[in-house]
Amino acid sequence: MTHTSVSPNGVDALLLDYNGVLGLQPSTGMWTRLADLAEWPDRHLPSFQEAFWAPRNAYDAGELSDLAYWAKVLGHHPGARWLRTLRAADTAMWTRTDPRVLDILYRARAAGLPLVLLSNAPAHLSDVLDATDWRRDLMSDALYSARLGRCKPDSAAYEHALAATGVADPGRVLFVDDREDNCRAAAELGLRALHYAGQPTDLEHQLLPALANSTRT
């Protein structure tokens, strides 16, 4: 279920997470392919995913290079060609978007509200996302953890993103994320937090009434 604290007074900007909101979660087949490319023992997906996620926060925060990250996942340094293959497959897992969500956001942008992306993402994925049509069309700015050196729910990440919206009052910025801890951290800073749980109709019902009541023209 999606929850929001939007008031009838509306909002002046939208601050959006990427993965789990705009971006679709990887399929089991994608995870299996990456594990195969990593030559994971016995193709044991749960242990591979555990190894994948353990150093991910540091990778997203820009503290680890591609090589250092994959060395931690694999337990040894991959060669240059193998590293490129792993990075390409990893990146491809996070670049599929939900067309239903994009349709809602295009309508939001047409209503005159600025949209700012705030994503936990490593450097290479950040560059790929910045090159997409939807990023150029929809987002007035995009902030990524690898460039900020901080991941959500670090308060500094939200402060940078709030500044990028150009809105002084955090209570007039709607933050949308699929993780409760990120929404909670945003709410603690005074932003309006909408917890998105994967249902575009919930997002539409909660978001568009707020846009209709916006003070922007």
Side-chain angles (χ1 to χ4, degrees):
M1 183 65 182
T2 304
H3 305 284
T4 183
S5 57
V6 174
S7 77
N9 293 328
V11 296
D12 292 336
L14 304 178
L15 184 55
L16 298 150
D17 175 40
Y18 171 68
N19 188 49
V21 179
L22 285 82
L24 295 170
Q25 298 287 0
S27 66
T28 300
M30 289 178 166
W31 279 111
T32 300
R33 179 173 183 272
L34 185 59
D36 286 344
L37 291 172
E39 299 178 4
W40 200 253
D42 301 322
R43 301 184 68 192
H44 188 253
L45 197 54
S47 63
F48 172 71
Q49 290 174 319
E50 182 178 352
F52 178 95
W53 288 117
R56 193 70 179 194
N57 198 66
Y59 186 38
D60 285 348
E63 298 169 5
L64 297 175
S65 66
D66 297 333
L67 179 60
Y69 168 72
W70 279 106
K72 287 184 176 294
V73 174
L74 300 173
H76 56 84
H77 285 82
R81 180 178 295 180
W82 192 11
L83 175 62
R84 288 194 297 271
T85 298
L86 291 168
R87 187 181 71 174
D90 179 12
T91 301
M93 294 204 312
W94 310 106
T95 52
R96 299 181 307 145
T97 53
D98 188 332
R100 301 167 299 174
V101 174
L102 285 176
D103 176 70
I104 294 168
L105 295 181
Y106 271 104
R107 282 185 276 157
R109 190 71 185 93
L113 295 184
L115 279 65
V116 172
L117 193 70
L118 179 61
S119 175
N120 288 353
H124 182 68
L125 176 57
S126 303
D127 292 341
V128 170
L129 293 178
D130 266 349
T132 61
D133 289 340
W134 62 261
R135 157 66 178 94
R136 292 191 294 263
D137 292 344
L138 285 173
M139 304 297 164
S140 56
D141 204 349
L143 291 85
Y144 304 99
S145 56
R147 299 175 187 174
L148 293 173
R150 299 174 183 272
C151 292
K152 294 175 294 183
D154 189 309
S155 61
Y158 298 95
E159 290 165 358
H160 282 290
L162 179 60
T165 68
V167 178
D169 181 2
R172 299 194 64 80
V173 176
L174 178 62
F175 173 73
V176 184
D177 199 291
D178 67 320
R179 285 177 43 174
E180 290 189 22
D181 58 338
N182 290 340
C183 289
R184 185 165 54 250
E188 289 173 355
L189 293 174
L191 287 96
R192 300 179 181 186
L194 187 158
H195 178 221
Y196 178 68
Q199 297 298 322
T201 52
D202 287 344
L203 176 62
E204 182 175 39
H205 292 159
Q206 297 291 345
L207 191 58
L208 295 184
L211 295 175
N213 288 305
S214 174
T215 59
R216 299 181 68 93
T217 59

